[in-house]
Amino acid sequence: MAAKKAAAKTLKITLVKSTIGQIPKTRATIEAMGLRKLHQTVELPDNEATRGQIQKVRHMVKVEEA
């Protein structure tokens, strides 16, 4: 029996504040999320790891459900 797989939820994450002047750990988190330029948007899966990354840099990003 082929079970229908539900569409995986994703989050749209946009960098809205520059990494200049931020601590290295914060910069590394932003880069690990795939963000490199201001106002760049990436779509990442909605899971615990992504939520943890967002929590660390919540003052620098805008998050929307996709």
Side-chain angles (χ1 to χ4, degrees):
M1 293 185 358
K4 274 192 170 181
K5 189 174 182 182
K9 291 188 177 183
T10 60
L11 297 172
K12 278 186 168 181
I13 303 162
T14 305
L15 184 62
V16 295
K17 186 176 179 194
S18 175
T19 57
I20 296 172
Q22 299 295 324
I23 61 173
K25 190 172 183 179
T26 302
R27 285 190 210 169
T29 302
I30 291 291
E31 185 147 343
M33 294 170 82
L35 295 166
R36 286 170 180 73
K37 295 182 176 183
L38 212 52
H39 304 293
Q40 180 183 3
T41 301
V42 294
E43 285 195 24
L44 296 176
D46 186 4
N47 57 30
E48 294 297 319
T50 303
R51 292 280 180 170
Q53 288 178 323
I54 292 168
Q55 191 67 21
K56 289 290 184 187
V57 295
R58 64 185 177 269
H59 61 286
M60 299 176 64
V61 296
K62 181 175 91 174
V63 180
E64 302 170 347
E65 290 189 15

